[in-house]
Amino acid sequence: LFQQVTPLPKTLEYLLLISDQAATCTTASGTTYSLTGSATNEVYKLYTSSNIAAGTVLSCDAPITALGDDSSTDEEHQIILGPVWAYGLSTTTTVSTTTTST
């Protein structure tokens, strides 16, 4: 699944962004991630291993899919968001998360 707005629910040890077109994603704090690749192969990607905080929202100028590694469990996840309107989000929304133990 590809989306233009991706809230990150957990702190990520790494983030991989993939698209079939060149894309630039920006956070509310102004951090920019630019996907690079090949028009011939239609594969564009960006990999970063810097910790990215839970609640960060990526707003992209083209649809992307995101994968990341939860820094607390080392589990890998595809980060999927349904239609933005279904969650009441816009590209300027900040998402906060809480974790509870059972």
Side-chain angles (χ1 to χ4, degrees):
L1 294 172
F2 290 82
Q3 63 248 0
Q4 286 184 264
V5 177
T6 305
L8 305 178
K10 300 189 178 229
T11 298
L12 300 177
E13 189 172 332
Y14 78 80
L15 177 66
L16 175 63
L17 304 176
I18 304 168
S19 183
D20 62 349
Q21 56 192 298
T24 299
C25 300
T26 307
T27 67
S29 66
T31 302
T32 301
Y33 301 101
S34 297
L35 285 70
T36 58
S38 165
T40 302
N41 297 324
E42 295 183 347
V43 176
Y44 295 83
K45 64 183 178 178
L46 170 114
Y47 174 85
T48 181
S49 59
S50 58
N51 281 332
I52 301 168
T56 298
V57 178
L58 300 174
S59 299
C60 306
D61 61 3
I64 57 98
T65 192
L67 298 103
D69 189 66
D70 183 336
S71 63
S72 65
T73 64
D74 283 333
E75 293 180 4
E76 296 176 353
H77 301 278
Q78 182 175 12
I79 304 159
I80 300 170
L81 174 70
V84 173
W85 55 264
Y87 296 89
L89 297 175
S90 72
T91 58
T92 58
T93 299
T94 300
V95 176
S96 61
T97 61
T98 57
T99 304
T100 56
S101 299
T102 56

